[in-house]
Amino acid sequence: MQTTRLRELIAAEGPYASVYFEDSHDTADAAKRLELTWRDLRERLAEQGASVPTLDALAEAVRQGTPPVGRSGRAMIAANGEVLLDRHLPTPPTGTVTRYSALPYLLPLVEYGEPAPVHIVAVVDSMGADLTAFAADGTVLSTETTQGSEHPVHAVTHAGEIRRHMEERVEETVKQNLRLVAEDINKLAQRVGAELVVLAGEVQGRSALHEELPEQTRRLAVEVSSGSRQDGVADSDLRKHVHELLEHARQERLDDAVRRFRAESGRDGGLSVQGLQATTTALREANVAMLLVDPAAQDSEATVAVGPGPEQVAPQQEELTAIGAETPVTGRADEALAVAAIATGAEIVHTGDRLELMDGFGAVLRHD
């Protein structure tokens, strides 16, 4: 997960209330279930010491939030009466999480909130296409329609030369229309930084369009056997296919991170470390390109020393005082290391069951 957008969050003054819960909206009683879930979460946070203004701010955000479509999770972090993060998660958490602590608890956000690639869905027919660009969080970035020529795009039954001439005109009109669509998709992909282009709609049209795309965009394109311009991106089969493609892309991204760590671990002088000692040292030196965590990091209640600077973390307080850090305190490792990674611009990856790390933490380094 890219962490740039989380820097403002860790700059806020704590303590923080962090909550994660299922927020699915796929049954008739979804609103009632959400009300009951929040009531339980509020009680648990209050027992941990969360202030009334912070609880009220979270409650208001829950009431005013836009319901998701289908299954979803939700991550919310607040401090001092202000909601700092309120995000739908593509994968619902396996259980509710509440934590009130000096630092925000961000590992469930990494585990369940790995963002989808920025993507475009193009629903195509012989006349043109409807293009919708989606951000990583699923919000719509742009909607466009490319409408081609108004000349006939279906052959009329005639005999002999007249019929052949009409068929040639139809074919050329369709090609021209698809060239226009390909140009517009390419421009849109460059503008929004698309990582995936989904081609849906008429089978002949989408296949021909695939070939018309410039090489750079063609490599991002995948065809799906669903969708029509009449139904657009609301088509249930199309949405299912797009969801499957996005989930596959998420898993591939995680697999790539694990392969990178293993490759570095498997060579002499490789740019990888694991365990609390080596990982915290690399974080203090701002030498972590990617912080990796596995489920053991969240199951453990391991603590580390935390200095005044968010990147100042170490297994023992003596290590921080030795470098001049004043009044280090004790904090949970599963909070402090994530905050240190964000402060130093590192990515954070939850490896799931793909990788077992010493103490639950590892890192891919920036340099030797």
Side-chain angles (χ1 to χ4, degrees):
M1 173 179 284
Q2 294 288 341
T3 59
T4 304
R5 293 184 179 181
L6 298 175
R7 288 188 183 179
E8 284 189 24
L9 185 151
I10 67 168
E13 184 178 351
Y16 296 79
S18 306
V19 294
Y20 299 88
F21 56 97
E22 182 170 353
D23 188 26
S24 298
H25 204 79
D26 54 356
T27 61
D29 65 342
K32 182 63 176 177
R33 286 192 294 111
L34 176 59
E35 179 184 342
L36 295 174
T37 297
W38 168 244
R39 187 181 303 170
D40 175 60
L41 293 173
R42 178 167 186 145
E43 289 178 359
R44 289 161 59 181
L45 284 172
E47 289 173 357
Q48 295 174 43
S51 68
V52 172
T54 294
L55 294 173
D56 287 346
L58 286 168
E60 182 66 15
V62 169
R63 283 194 295 267
Q64 297 298 326
T66 302
V69 177
R71 298 196 71 231
S72 175
R74 194 161 176 182
M76 304 180 75
I77 298 177
N80 298 302
E82 180 182 1
V83 176
L84 306 173
L85 181 142
D86 184 359
R87 188 178 299 180
H88 286 296
L89 306 173
T91 305
T94 54
T96 57
V97 176
T98 60
R99 190 177 291 186
Y100 189 64
S101 51
L103 296 174
Y105 182 39
L106 294 162
L107 293 191
L109 177 66
V110 177
E111 181 179 7
Y112 299 108
E114 177 66 27
V118 176
H119 60 286
I120 296 169
V121 178
V123 188
V124 186
D125 65 14
S126 57
M127 290 293 294
D130 298 317
L131 314 179
T132 308
F134 295 89
D137 62 1
T139 57
V140 175
L141 294 172
S142 172
T143 56
E144 302 178 10
T145 294
T146 299
Q147 197 70 17
S149 171
E150 294 182 0
H151 294 297
V153 289
H154 299 287
V156 181
T157 302
H158 288 291
E161 288 296 314
I162 296 177
R163 175 178 175 78
R164 185 177 63 81
H165 179 66
M166 288 293 294
E167 288 176 343
E168 289 174 353
R169 286 184 61 196
V170 167
E171 290 176 3
E172 184 57 32
T173 298
V174 170
K175 285 182 179 179
Q176 290 177 1
N177 292 346
L178 292 177
R179 289 191 194 107
L180 288 173
V181 174
E183 290 175 6
D184 285 350
I185 289 177
N186 189 54
K187 292 176 183 175
L188 181 58
Q190 292 181 8
R191 191 168 78 241
V192 302
E195 303 167 76
L196 173 69
V197 176
V198 181
L199 304 179
E202 293 180 355
V203 60
Q204 290 182 326
R206 67 173 187 261
S207 297
L209 173 61
H210 203 157
E211 295 302 314
E212 291 289 344
L213 290 170
E215 176 61 27
Q216 181 179 1
T217 305
R218 191 187 312 151
R219 290 198 298 267
L220 308 176
V222 179
E223 295 180 46
V224 295
S225 58
S226 58
S228 69
R229 292 189 72 186
Q230 179 179 352
D231 296 327
V233 293
D235 179 87
S236 59
D237 287 339
L238 175 56
R239 288 174 58 180
K240 178 183 176 182
H241 283 139
V242 171
H243 175 78
E244 290 171 350
L245 288 171
L246 296 181
E247 187 57 32
H248 177 74
R250 287 190 190 97
Q251 297 306 318
E252 276 294 305
R253 188 181 293 167
L254 298 179
D255 290 340
D256 286 344
V258 170
R259 283 192 288 266
R260 181 179 171 188
F261 177 84
R262 284 179 170 153
E264 294 295 338
S265 300
R267 66 183 184 88
D268 290 339
L271 299 178
S272 68
V273 296
Q274 58 178 307
L276 277 175
Q277 183 67 61
T279 304
T280 55
T281 298
L283 285 167
R284 291 198 307 275
E285 296 170 351
N287 190 24
V288 174
M290 183 188 303
L291 176 69
L292 289 85
V293 298
D294 71 12
Q298 292 162 278
D299 295 338
S300 168
E301 294 189 2
T303 60
V304 292
V306 182
E311 78 288 350
Q312 294 177 335
V313 288
Q316 305 296 330
Q317 291 193 4
E318 291 77 10
E319 293 182 57
L320 295 185
T321 56
I323 61 172
E326 297 180 0
T327 61
V329 297
T330 299
R332 290 186 59 133
D334 59 2
E335 296 170 358
L337 268 68
V339 169
I342 295 167
T344 55
E347 293 182 52
I348 309 177
V349 173
H350 194 290
T351 65
D353 59 3
R354 297 171 178 81
L355 195 63
E356 188 173 327
L357 298 161
M358 185 187 303
D359 301 327
F361 293 95
V364 175
L365 306 180
R366 291 187 169 120
H367 53 76
D368 293 337

